[in-house]
């Protein structure tokens, strides 16, 4: 199983004038460790269960500005910050005269990022998009990079919306 999961969100949307929107989102949640992480073992690899694992806790916020003039253009800028505490990962543990691995709550992770997107669509339904993002993940207390999250990415594509229920799209990703 995936463990128990709860994420509550609070969002505020404000449109000061037509074509401009500001959105603020705050979220808080937790994910309890699944039985696999708490109780599973693998001889000579993970000899110790971890019945005392605590749930991972999430606290995040996101702010977005969106510009949508009356034409067929839409642009947005989004900044976010997410912090995970009680992060569950494999760590080394003493076992007999040597060591083994065990799931543990090892600190936390901070994720920060900025994303920009541009979309356009002609009245015929043909359109496209480009987006670009930068992000950073670091261990709380260490400031060192965590995981294999790419520091930046770019996406683009073309779309054809030919009915209210159907569309085709070709997307690229770097």
């Amino acid at each position: 199983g995936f463990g128990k999961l709860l994420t509550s969100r609070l969002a505020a949307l404000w449109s000061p004038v037509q074509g401009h929107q500001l959105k603020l989102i705050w979220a808080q949640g937790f994910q309890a460790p699944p039985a696999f992480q708490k109780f599973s073992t693998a001889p000579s690899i993970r000899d110790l269960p971890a019945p005392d694992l605590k749930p991972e806790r999430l606290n995040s916020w996101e702010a977005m500005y969106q510009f949508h003039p009356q034409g067929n253009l839409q642009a947005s800028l989004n900044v976010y910050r997410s912090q995970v505490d009680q992060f569950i990962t494999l760590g080394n543990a003493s076992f007999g005269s040597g060591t083994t691995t065990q799931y543990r709550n090892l600190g936390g992770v901070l994720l920060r990022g900025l994303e920009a997107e541009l979309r356009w669509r002609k009245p015929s339904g043909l359109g496209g998009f480009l987006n670009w993002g930068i992000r950073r993940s670091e261990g709380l207390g260490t400031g060192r990079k965590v995981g294999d999250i790419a520091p930046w990415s770019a996406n683009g594509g073309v779309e054809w919306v030919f009915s209210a229920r159907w569309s085709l799209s070709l997307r690229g990703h770097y």
Side-chain angles (χ1 to χ4, degrees):
F2 292 105
K4 303 289 186 227
L5 176 69
L6 173 67
T7 304
S8 54
R9 295 181 182 164
L10 177 63
L13 179 65
W14 180 48
S15 297
V17 294
Q18 186 174 354
H20 297 268
Q21 289 183 332
L22 293 172
K23 186 187 300 185
L24 297 174
I25 300 172
W26 172 80
Q28 188 173 24
F30 74 88
Q31 180 171 342
F36 173 80
Q37 289 178 333
K38 291 179 86 167
F39 303 112
S40 73
T41 60
S44 301
I45 298 171
R46 194 175 56 257
D47 294 295
L48 295 173
D52 297 328
L53 279 178
K54 297 180 178 91
E56 294 178 330
R57 301 220 173 262
L58 168 75
N59 190 339
S60 69
W61 63 263
E62 179 178 344
M64 176 185 222
Y65 168 71
Q66 190 171 45
F67 175 63
H68 187 73
Q70 292 198 352
N72 301 315
L73 180 68
Q74 178 178 330
S76 64
L77 185 64
N78 188 33
V79 62
Y80 61 90
R81 180 188 189 277
S82 295
Q83 182 173 320
V84 180
D85 292 306
Q86 305 287 349
F87 190 64
I88 296 172
T89 189
L90 275 174
N92 290 328
S94 297
F95 182 71
S97 60
T99 61
T100 189
T101 57
Q102 179 184 39
Y103 284 102
R104 296 179 158 194
N105 295 103
L106 295 175
V109 176
L110 177 63
L111 303 167
R112 292 178 287 192
L114 174 71
E115 298 173 344
E117 182 173 74
L118 181 64
R119 291 187 166 269
W120 64 94
R121 179 164 298 135
K122 293 180 178 184
S124 65
L126 190 61
F129 67 92
L130 295 169
N131 67 42
W132 173 77
I134 56 173
R135 64 199 59 81
R136 178 169 168 84
S137 62
E138 62 186 56
L140 291 176
T142 67
R144 293 176 46 204
K145 182 179 175 183
V146 174
D148 62 351
I149 297 174
W152 67 274
S153 65
N155 299 283
V158 293
E159 301 173 315
W160 179 38
V161 179
F162 55 90
S163 81
R165 295 184 182 199
W166 292 94
S167 66
L168 291 172
S169 65
L170 178 64
R171 299 169 182 250
H173 164 96
Y174 184 80

